[in-house]
Each structure stands twice: as C-alpha cells, then as structure tokens.
PDB file of all heavy atoms in Angstrom:
ATOM      1  N   ASP A   1      13.198 -16.575  -7.753  1.00  0.00           N
ATOM      2  CA  ASP A   1      11.927 -16.134  -7.302  1.00  0.00           C
ATOM      3  C   ASP A   1      11.246 -15.188  -8.257  1.00  0.00           C
ATOM      4  O   ASP A   1      10.069 -14.729  -8.063  1.00  0.00           O
ATOM      5  CB  ASP A   1      12.082 -15.449  -5.933  1.00  0.00           C
ATOM      6  CG  ASP A   1      12.575 -16.379  -4.849  1.00  0.00           C
ATOM      7  OD1 ASP A   1      12.172 -17.541  -4.890  1.00  0.00           O
ATOM      8  OD2 ASP A   1      13.392 -15.903  -3.979  1.00  0.00           O
ATOM      9  N   HIS A   2      11.989 -14.791  -9.258  1.00  0.00           N
ATOM     10  CA  HIS A   2      11.424 -13.784 -10.253  1.00  0.00           C
ATOM     11  C   HIS A   2      10.261 -14.433 -11.061  1.00  0.00           C
ATOM     12  O   HIS A   2      10.377 -15.455 -11.720  1.00  0.00           O
ATOM     13  CB  HIS A   2      12.570 -13.404 -11.155  1.00  0.00           C
ATOM     14  CG  HIS A   2      12.218 -12.369 -12.205  1.00  0.00           C
ATOM     15  ND1 HIS A   2      12.360 -12.485 -13.509  1.00  0.00           N
ATOM     16  CD2 HIS A   2      11.622 -11.099 -12.042  1.00  0.00           C
ATOM     17  CE1 HIS A   2      11.869 -11.409 -14.141  1.00  0.00           C
ATOM     18  NE2 HIS A   2      11.503 -10.568 -13.324  1.00  0.00           N
ATOM     19  N   GLN A   3       9.128 -13.758 -11.012  1.00  0.00           N
ATOM     20  CA  GLN A   3       7.913 -14.214 -11.646  1.00  0.00           C
ATOM     21  C   GLN A   3       7.290 -13.032 -12.433  1.00  0.00           C
ATOM     22  O   GLN A   3       6.489 -12.229 -11.878  1.00  0.00           O
ATOM     23  CB  GLN A   3       6.937 -14.683 -10.677  1.00  0.00           C
ATOM     24  CG  GLN A   3       7.313 -15.954  -9.869  1.00  0.00           C
ATOM     25  CD  GLN A   3       6.381 -16.253  -8.759  1.00  0.00           C
ATOM     26  OE1 GLN A   3       6.237 -15.500  -7.763  1.00  0.00           O
ATOM     27  NE2 GLN A   3       5.726 -17.377  -8.946  1.00  0.00           N
ATOM     28  N   PRO A   4       7.658 -12.827 -13.716  1.00  0.00           N
ATOM     29  CA  PRO A   4       7.066 -11.706 -14.490  1.00  0.00           C
ATOM     30  C   PRO A   4       5.536 -11.850 -14.517  1.00  0.00           C
ATOM     31  O   PRO A   4       5.004 -12.903 -14.448  1.00  0.00           O
ATOM     32  CB  PRO A   4       7.700 -11.971 -15.900  1.00  0.00           C
ATOM     33  CG  PRO A   4       8.888 -12.698 -15.644  1.00  0.00           C
ATOM     34  CD  PRO A   4       8.641 -13.620 -14.527  1.00  0.00           C
ATOM     35  N   LEU A   5       4.935 -10.709 -14.672  1.00  0.00           N
ATOM     36  CA  LEU A   5       3.427 -10.632 -14.707  1.00  0.00           C
ATOM     37  C   LEU A   5       2.946 -11.068 -16.150  1.00  0.00           C
ATOM     38  O   LEU A   5       3.644 -10.912 -17.114  1.00  0.00           O
ATOM     39  CB  LEU A   5       2.958  -9.241 -14.425  1.00  0.00           C
ATOM     40  CG  LEU A   5       3.385  -8.618 -13.115  1.00  0.00           C
ATOM     41  CD1 LEU A   5       2.720  -7.289 -12.898  1.00  0.00           C
ATOM     42  CD2 LEU A   5       3.027  -9.575 -11.886  1.00  0.00           C
ATOM     43  N   VAL A   6       1.755 -11.643 -16.113  1.00  0.00           N
ATOM     44  CA  VAL A   6       1.061 -11.935 -17.345  1.00  0.00           C
ATOM     45  C   VAL A   6      -0.064 -10.867 -17.521  1.00  0.00           C
ATOM     46  O   VAL A   6      -0.836 -10.688 -16.622  1.00  0.00           O
ATOM     47  CB  VAL A   6       0.451 -13.367 -17.366  1.00  0.00           C
ATOM     48  CG1 VAL A   6      -0.369 -13.594 -18.570  1.00  0.00           C
ATOM     49  CG2 VAL A   6       1.544 -14.348 -17.174  1.00  0.00           C
ATOM     50  N   ALA A   7      -0.119 -10.199 -18.659  1.00  0.00           N
ATOM     51  CA  ALA A   7      -1.115  -9.113 -18.816  1.00  0.00           C
ATOM     52  C   ALA A   7      -2.486  -9.634 -18.450  1.00  0.00           C
ATOM     53  O   ALA A   7      -2.968 -10.665 -18.995  1.00  0.00           O
ATOM     54  CB  ALA A   7      -1.017  -8.605 -20.282  1.00  0.00           C
ATOM     55  N   GLY A   8      -3.170  -8.760 -17.658  1.00  0.00           N
ATOM     56  CA  GLY A   8      -4.587  -9.001 -17.310  1.00  0.00           C
ATOM     57  C   GLY A   8      -4.696 -10.035 -16.210  1.00  0.00           C
ATOM     58  O   GLY A   8      -5.950 -10.249 -15.768  1.00  0.00           O
ATOM     59  N   THR A   9      -3.686 -10.701 -15.698  1.00  0.00           N
ATOM     60  CA  THR A   9      -3.826 -11.726 -14.660  1.00  0.00           C
ATOM     61  C   THR A   9      -3.439 -11.158 -13.324  1.00  0.00           C
ATOM     62  O   THR A   9      -2.306 -10.757 -13.099  1.00  0.00           O
ATOM     63  CB  THR A   9      -2.872 -12.934 -14.914  1.00  0.00           C
ATOM     64  OG1 THR A   9      -3.232 -13.483 -16.208  1.00  0.00           O
ATOM     65  CG2 THR A   9      -2.992 -13.980 -13.870  1.00  0.00           C
ATOM     66  N   PRO A  10      -4.379 -11.044 -12.399  1.00  0.00           N
ATOM     67  CA  PRO A  10      -4.105 -10.409 -11.096  1.00  0.00           C
ATOM     68  C   PRO A  10      -3.191 -11.401 -10.287  1.00  0.00           C
ATOM     69  O   PRO A  10      -3.293 -12.550 -10.318  1.00  0.00           O
ATOM     70  CB  PRO A  10      -5.495 -10.343 -10.379  1.00  0.00           C
ATOM     71  CG  PRO A  10      -6.453 -10.485 -11.507  1.00  0.00           C
ATOM     72  CD  PRO A  10      -5.830 -11.398 -12.482  1.00  0.00           C
ATOM     73  N   VAL A  11      -2.278 -10.727  -9.539  1.00  0.00           N
ATOM     74  CA  VAL A  11      -1.424 -11.405  -8.536  1.00  0.00           C
ATOM     75  C   VAL A  11      -1.456 -10.634  -7.213  1.00  0.00           C
ATOM     76  O   VAL A  11      -1.661  -9.415  -7.228  1.00  0.00           O
ATOM     77  CB  VAL A  11       0.059 -11.469  -9.080  1.00  0.00           C
ATOM     78  CG1 VAL A  11       0.122 -12.371 -10.339  1.00  0.00           C
ATOM     79  CG2 VAL A  11       0.648 -10.096  -9.299  1.00  0.00           C
ATOM     80  N   LYS A  12      -1.113 -11.338  -6.191  1.00  0.00           N
ATOM     81  CA  LYS A  12      -1.135 -10.712  -4.822  1.00  0.00           C
ATOM     82  C   LYS A  12       0.312 -10.218  -4.582  1.00  0.00           C
ATOM     83  O   LYS A  12       1.266 -10.962  -4.664  1.00  0.00           O
ATOM     84  CB  LYS A  12      -1.566 -11.670  -3.787  1.00  0.00           C
ATOM     85  CG  LYS A  12      -1.696 -11.136  -2.416  1.00  0.00           C
ATOM     86  CD  LYS A  12      -2.178 -12.092  -1.419  1.00  0.00           C
ATOM     87  CE  LYS A  12      -2.363 -11.511   0.045  1.00  0.00           C
ATOM     88  NZ  LYS A  12      -2.776 -12.514   1.061  1.00  0.00           N
ATOM     89  N   VAL A  13       0.418  -8.935  -4.184  1.00  0.00           N
ATOM     90  CA  VAL A  13       1.648  -8.334  -3.792  1.00  0.00           C
ATOM     91  C   VAL A  13       1.562  -7.826  -2.367  1.00  0.00           C
ATOM     92  O   VAL A  13       0.612  -6.951  -2.158  1.00  0.00           O
ATOM     93  CB  VAL A  13       2.045  -7.165  -4.753  1.00  0.00           C
ATOM     94  CG1 VAL A  13       3.350  -6.563  -4.352  1.00  0.00           C
ATOM     95  CG2 VAL A  13       2.070  -7.677  -6.252  1.00  0.00           C
ATOM     96  N   SER A  14       2.306  -8.404  -1.420  1.00  0.00           N
ATOM     97  CA  SER A  14       2.259  -7.994  -0.075  1.00  0.00           C
ATOM     98  C   SER A  14       3.487  -7.330   0.431  1.00  0.00           C
ATOM     99  O   SER A  14       4.655  -7.851   0.174  1.00  0.00           O
ATOM    100  CB  SER A  14       1.944  -9.223   0.823  1.00  0.00           C
ATOM    101  OG  SER A  14       0.745  -9.856   0.495  1.00  0.00           O
ATOM    102  N   PHE A  15       3.432  -6.178   1.045  1.00  0.00           N
ATOM    103  CA  PHE A  15       4.635  -5.506   1.604  1.00  0.00           C
ATOM    104  C   PHE A  15       4.179  -4.500   2.660  1.00  0.00           C
ATOM    105  O   PHE A  15       3.029  -4.119   2.754  1.00  0.00           O
ATOM    106  CB  PHE A  15       5.267  -4.717   0.450  1.00  0.00           C
ATOM    107  CG  PHE A  15       4.381  -3.828  -0.326  1.00  0.00           C
ATOM    108  CD1 PHE A  15       4.371  -2.430   0.008  1.00  0.00           C
ATOM    109  CD2 PHE A  15       3.611  -4.229  -1.465  1.00  0.00           C
ATOM    110  CE1 PHE A  15       3.599  -1.569  -0.706  1.00  0.00           C
ATOM    111  CE2 PHE A  15       2.877  -3.355  -2.095  1.00  0.00           C
ATOM    112  CZ  PHE A  15       2.778  -2.026  -1.794  1.00  0.00           C
ATOM    113  N   ASP A  16       5.138  -4.216   3.499  1.00  0.00           N
ATOM    114  CA  ASP A  16       4.900  -3.183   4.578  1.00  0.00           C
ATOM    115  C   ASP A  16       5.118  -1.885   4.172  1.00  0.00           C
ATOM    116  O   ASP A  16       5.961  -1.534   3.290  1.00  0.00           O
ATOM    117  CB  ASP A  16       5.755  -3.622   5.843  1.00  0.00           C
ATOM    118  CG  ASP A  16       7.252  -3.513   5.531  1.00  0.00           C
ATOM    119  OD1 ASP A  16       7.711  -4.110   4.625  1.00  0.00           O
ATOM    120  OD2 ASP A  16       7.943  -2.714   6.252  1.00  0.00           O
ATOM    121  N   LEU A  17       4.476  -0.942   4.750  1.00  0.00           N
ATOM    122  CA  LEU A  17       4.791   0.502   4.656  1.00  0.00           C
ATOM    123  C   LEU A  17       5.610   0.843   5.796  1.00  0.00           C
ATOM    124  O   LEU A  17       5.601   0.149   6.853  1.00  0.00           O
ATOM    125  CB  LEU A  17       3.482   1.311   4.747  1.00  0.00           C
ATOM    126  CG  LEU A  17       2.654   1.428   3.342  1.00  0.00           C
ATOM    127  CD1 LEU A  17       2.154   0.017   2.947  1.00  0.00           C
ATOM    128  CD2 LEU A  17       1.539   2.433   3.482  1.00  0.00           C
ATOM    129  N   LEU A  18       6.401   1.900   5.677  1.00  0.00           N
ATOM    130  CA  LEU A  18       7.305   2.325   6.714  1.00  0.00           C
ATOM    131  C   LEU A  18       6.659   2.583   8.033  1.00  0.00           C
ATOM    132  O   LEU A  18       5.460   2.994   8.090  1.00  0.00           O
ATOM    133  CB  LEU A  18       8.175   3.483   6.315  1.00  0.00           C
ATOM    134  CG  LEU A  18       9.121   3.336   5.165  1.00  0.00           C
ATOM    135  CD1 LEU A  18       9.744   4.648   4.742  1.00  0.00           C
ATOM    136  CD2 LEU A  18      10.264   2.323   5.566  1.00  0.00           C
ATOM    137  N   ALA A  19       7.267   2.218   9.236  1.00  0.00           N
ATOM    138  CA  ALA A  19       6.638   2.345  10.489  1.00  0.00           C
ATOM    139  C   ALA A  19       6.194   3.768  10.688  1.00  0.00           C
ATOM    140  O   ALA A  19       6.803   4.796  10.252  1.00  0.00           O
ATOM    141  CB  ALA A  19       7.612   1.906  11.555  1.00  0.00           C
ATOM    142  N   VAL A  20       5.138   3.963  11.527  1.00  0.00           N
ATOM    143  CA  VAL A  20       4.591   5.251  11.851  1.00  0.00           C
ATOM    144  C   VAL A  20       4.224   5.377  13.242  1.00  0.00           C
ATOM    145  O   VAL A  20       3.979   4.382  13.965  1.00  0.00           O
ATOM    146  CB  VAL A  20       3.278   5.592  10.967  1.00  0.00           C
ATOM    147  CG1 VAL A  20       3.705   5.587   9.511  1.00  0.00           C
ATOM    148  CG2 VAL A  20       2.260   4.521  11.214  1.00  0.00           C
ATOM    149  N   SER A  21       4.087   6.630  13.756  1.00  0.00           N
ATOM    150  CA  SER A  21       3.398   6.951  15.013  1.00  0.00           C
ATOM    151  C   SER A  21       2.833   8.361  14.776  1.00  0.00           C
ATOM    152  O   SER A  21       3.534   9.332  14.843  1.00  0.00           O
ATOM    153  CB  SER A  21       4.300   6.932  16.218  1.00  0.00           C
ATOM    154  OG  SER A  21       3.515   7.091  17.412  1.00  0.00           O
ATOM    155  N   TYR A  22       1.501   8.383  14.547  1.00  0.00           N
ATOM    156  CA  TYR A  22       0.910   9.588  14.030  1.00  0.00           C
ATOM    157  C   TYR A  22      -0.575   9.720  14.456  1.00  0.00           C
ATOM    158  O   TYR A  22      -1.298   8.664  14.570  1.00  0.00           O
ATOM    159  CB  TYR A  22       0.940   9.571  12.474  1.00  0.00           C
ATOM    160  CG  TYR A  22       0.420  10.745  11.728  1.00  0.00           C
ATOM    161  CD1 TYR A  22       1.242  11.787  11.415  1.00  0.00           C
ATOM    162  CD2 TYR A  22      -0.922  10.856  11.404  1.00  0.00           C
ATOM    163  CE1 TYR A  22       0.842  12.910  10.735  1.00  0.00           C
ATOM    164  CE2 TYR A  22      -1.382  12.027  10.703  1.00  0.00           C
ATOM    165  CZ  TYR A  22      -0.499  13.007  10.424  1.00  0.00           C
ATOM    166  OH  TYR A  22      -1.024  14.099   9.741  1.00  0.00           O
ATOM    167  N   VAL A  23      -0.998  10.879  14.770  1.00  0.00           N
ATOM    168  CA  VAL A  23      -2.370  11.111  15.247  1.00  0.00           C
ATOM    169  C   VAL A  23      -3.156  11.752  14.097  1.00  0.00           C
ATOM    170  O   VAL A  23      -2.723  12.891  13.749  1.00  0.00           O
ATOM    171  CB  VAL A  23      -2.444  11.883  16.537  1.00  0.00           C
ATOM    172  CG1 VAL A  23      -3.930  12.322  16.795  1.00  0.00           C
ATOM    173  CG2 VAL A  23      -1.903  11.118  17.683  1.00  0.00           C
ATOM    174  N   PHE A  24      -4.171  11.194  13.584  1.00  0.00           N
ATOM    175  CA  PHE A  24      -5.059  11.811  12.621  1.00  0.00           C
ATOM    176  C   PHE A  24      -6.017  12.647  13.458  1.00  0.00           C
ATOM    177  O   PHE A  24      -6.730  12.161  14.343  1.00  0.00           O
ATOM    178  CB  PHE A  24      -5.888  10.814  11.854  1.00  0.00           C
ATOM    179  CG  PHE A  24      -5.032  10.028  10.846  1.00  0.00           C
ATOM    180  CD1 PHE A  24      -4.247   8.966  11.106  1.00  0.00           C
ATOM    181  CD2 PHE A  24      -5.075  10.444   9.479  1.00  0.00           C
ATOM    182  CE1 PHE A  24      -3.548   8.337  10.133  1.00  0.00           C
ATOM    183  CE2 PHE A  24      -4.344   9.778   8.465  1.00  0.00           C
ATOM    184  CZ  PHE A  24      -3.560   8.740   8.795  1.00  0.00           C
ATOM    185  N   LYS A  25      -6.085  13.940  13.165  1.00  0.00           N
ATOM    186  CA  LYS A  25      -6.901  14.850  13.950  1.00  0.00           C
ATOM    187  C   LYS A  25      -8.374  14.650  13.509  1.00  0.00           C
ATOM    188  O   LYS A  25      -8.671  14.213  12.471  1.00  0.00           O
ATOM    189  CB  LYS A  25      -6.473  16.267  13.753  1.00  0.00           C
ATOM    190  CG  LYS A  25      -5.061  16.579  14.021  1.00  0.00           C
ATOM    191  CD  LYS A  25      -4.603  16.257  15.469  1.00  0.00           C
ATOM    192  CE  LYS A  25      -5.081  17.284  16.419  1.00  0.00           C
ATOM    193  NZ  LYS A  25      -4.589  17.048  17.785  1.00  0.00           N
ATOM    194  N   ALA A  26      -9.326  15.003  14.501  1.00  0.00           N
ATOM    195  CA  ALA A  26     -10.740  14.916  14.229  1.00  0.00           C
ATOM    196  C   ALA A  26     -11.038  15.670  12.914  1.00  0.00           C
ATOM    197  O   ALA A  26     -10.583  16.837  12.723  1.00  0.00           O
ATOM    198  CB  ALA A  26     -11.522  15.429  15.351  1.00  0.00           C
ATOM    199  N   GLY A  27     -11.844  15.141  12.097  1.00  0.00           N
ATOM    200  CA  GLY A  27     -12.226  15.809  10.825  1.00  0.00           C
ATOM    201  C   GLY A  27     -11.300  15.403   9.631  1.00  0.00           C
ATOM    202  O   GLY A  27     -11.599  15.785   8.507  1.00  0.00           O
ATOM    203  N   HIS A  28     -10.208  14.712   9.936  1.00  0.00           N
ATOM    204  CA  HIS A  28      -9.322  14.320   8.905  1.00  0.00           C
ATOM    205  C   HIS A  28      -9.656  12.888   8.433  1.00  0.00           C
ATOM    206  O   HIS A  28     -10.303  12.111   9.151  1.00  0.00           O
ATOM    207  CB  HIS A  28      -7.887  14.376   9.413  1.00  0.00           C
ATOM    208  CG  HIS A  28      -7.302  15.756   9.564  1.00  0.00           C
ATOM    209  ND1 HIS A  28      -6.159  16.206   9.049  1.00  0.00           N
ATOM    210  CD2 HIS A  28      -7.824  16.823  10.176  1.00  0.00           C
ATOM    211  CE1 HIS A  28      -5.908  17.428   9.293  1.00  0.00           C
ATOM    212  NE2 HIS A  28      -6.927  17.832  10.066  1.00  0.00           N
ATOM    213  N   THR A  29      -9.211  12.528   7.287  1.00  0.00           N
ATOM    214  CA  THR A  29      -9.487  11.275   6.630  1.00  0.00           C
ATOM    215  C   THR A  29      -8.297  10.480   6.295  1.00  0.00           C
ATOM    216  O   THR A  29      -7.282  11.035   5.793  1.00  0.00           O
ATOM    217  CB  THR A  29     -10.272  11.457   5.369  1.00  0.00           C
ATOM    218  OG1 THR A  29     -11.486  12.173   5.592  1.00  0.00           O
ATOM    219  CG2 THR A  29     -10.620  10.138   4.702  1.00  0.00           C
ATOM    220  N   LEU A  30      -8.251   9.214   6.640  1.00  0.00           N
ATOM    221  CA  LEU A  30      -7.156   8.355   6.332  1.00  0.00           C
ATOM    222  C   LEU A  30      -7.378   7.828   4.872  1.00  0.00           C
ATOM    223  O   LEU A  30      -8.522   7.430   4.526  1.00  0.00           O
ATOM    224  CB  LEU A  30      -7.099   7.150   7.266  1.00  0.00           C
ATOM    225  CG  LEU A  30      -6.045   6.104   7.042  1.00  0.00           C
ATOM    226  CD1 LEU A  30      -5.680   5.413   8.428  1.00  0.00           C
ATOM    227  CD2 LEU A  30      -6.472   4.921   6.067  1.00  0.00           C
ATOM    228  N   ARG A  31      -6.305   7.871   4.062  1.00  0.00           N
ATOM    229  CA  ARG A  31      -6.462   7.518   2.642  1.00  0.00           C
ATOM    230  C   ARG A  31      -5.253   6.609   2.255  1.00  0.00           C
ATOM    231  O   ARG A  31      -4.172   6.901   2.736  1.00  0.00           O
ATOM    232  CB  ARG A  31      -6.633   8.774   1.746  1.00  0.00           C
ATOM    233  CG  ARG A  31      -6.987   8.415   0.327  1.00  0.00           C
ATOM    234  CD  ARG A  31      -7.295   9.591  -0.505  1.00  0.00           C
ATOM    235  NE  ARG A  31      -6.106  10.348  -0.872  1.00  0.00           N
ATOM    236  CZ  ARG A  31      -6.092  11.421  -1.588  1.00  0.00           C
ATOM    237  NH1 ARG A  31      -7.252  12.000  -1.995  1.00  0.00           N
ATOM    238  NH2 ARG A  31      -4.975  12.157  -1.877  1.00  0.00           N
ATOM    239  N   VAL A  32      -5.498   5.781   1.343  1.00  0.00           N
ATOM    240  CA  VAL A  32      -4.403   4.942   0.737  1.00  0.00           C
ATOM    241  C   VAL A  32      -4.396   5.271  -0.777  1.00  0.00           C
ATOM    242  O   VAL A  32      -5.501   5.171  -1.440  1.00  0.00           O
ATOM    243  CB  VAL A  32      -4.499   3.480   1.034  1.00  0.00           C
ATOM    244  CG1 VAL A  32      -3.458   2.683   0.244  1.00  0.00           C
ATOM    245  CG2 VAL A  32      -4.449   3.188   2.503  1.00  0.00           C
ATOM    246  N   SER A  33      -3.236   5.580  -1.265  1.00  0.00           N
ATOM    247  CA  SER A  33      -3.052   5.769  -2.777  1.00  0.00           C
ATOM    248  C   SER A  33      -2.083   4.765  -3.296  1.00  0.00           C
ATOM    249  O   SER A  33      -1.026   4.487  -2.596  1.00  0.00           O
ATOM    250  CB  SER A  33      -2.562   7.210  -3.044  1.00  0.00           C
ATOM    251  OG  SER A  33      -3.559   8.177  -2.651  1.00  0.00           O
ATOM    252  N   ILE A  34      -2.279   4.312  -4.478  1.00  0.00           N
ATOM    253  CA  ILE A  34      -1.512   3.272  -5.105  1.00  0.00           C
ATOM    254  C   ILE A  34      -1.041   3.771  -6.517  1.00  0.00           C
ATOM    255  O   ILE A  34      -1.940   4.218  -7.315  1.00  0.00           O
ATOM    256  CB  ILE A  34      -2.237   1.937  -5.164  1.00  0.00           C
ATOM    257  CG1 ILE A  34      -2.674   1.470  -3.767  1.00  0.00           C
ATOM    258  CG2 ILE A  34      -1.400   0.897  -5.889  1.00  0.00           C
ATOM    259  CD1 ILE A  34      -3.892   0.547  -3.831  1.00  0.00           C
ATOM    260  N   THR A  35       0.265   3.705  -6.797  1.00  0.00           N
ATOM    261  CA  THR A  35       0.741   4.158  -8.078  1.00  0.00           C
ATOM    262  C   THR A  35       1.805   3.163  -8.675  1.00  0.00           C
ATOM    263  O   THR A  35       2.086   2.208  -7.962  1.00  0.00           O
ATOM    264  CB  THR A  35       1.432   5.581  -8.037  1.00  0.00           C
ATOM    265  OG1 THR A  35       2.642   5.419  -7.251  1.00  0.00           O
ATOM    266  CG2 THR A  35       0.546   6.531  -7.274  1.00  0.00           C
TER     267      THR A  35
END
C-alpha cells in the first residue's frame, strides 16, 4: 500500500482525530492546525 508522494502533486489523506467530548464556551473559536 506504500505510495510515495510526487513533488507538487496533491493527494488526499484521510484520518480521524482522537475522540472528544468538549464544550467550546461562548466567545471562543474552533480552529484546525496542520503541520
């Protein structure tokens, strides 16, 4: 299943984030960061 990337060619990467149960309080912002 190993498929190395080709420079400059976009690929789709799908994965789950760890499960949560959390309340964002009023005035707070949901953000996603990618590194």
Side-chain angles (χ1 to χ4, degrees):
D1 297 323
H2 183 234
Q3 298 172 291
L5 304 184
V6 176
T9 301
V11 297
K12 185 179 181 181
V13 181
S14 298
F15 54 94
D16 63 305
L17 280 63
L18 292 173
V20 296
S21 187
Y22 184 92
V23 173
F24 288 83
K25 307 299 285 187
H28 288 231
T29 301
L30 180 152
R31 188 172 76 179
V32 173
S33 294
I34 302 156
T35 71

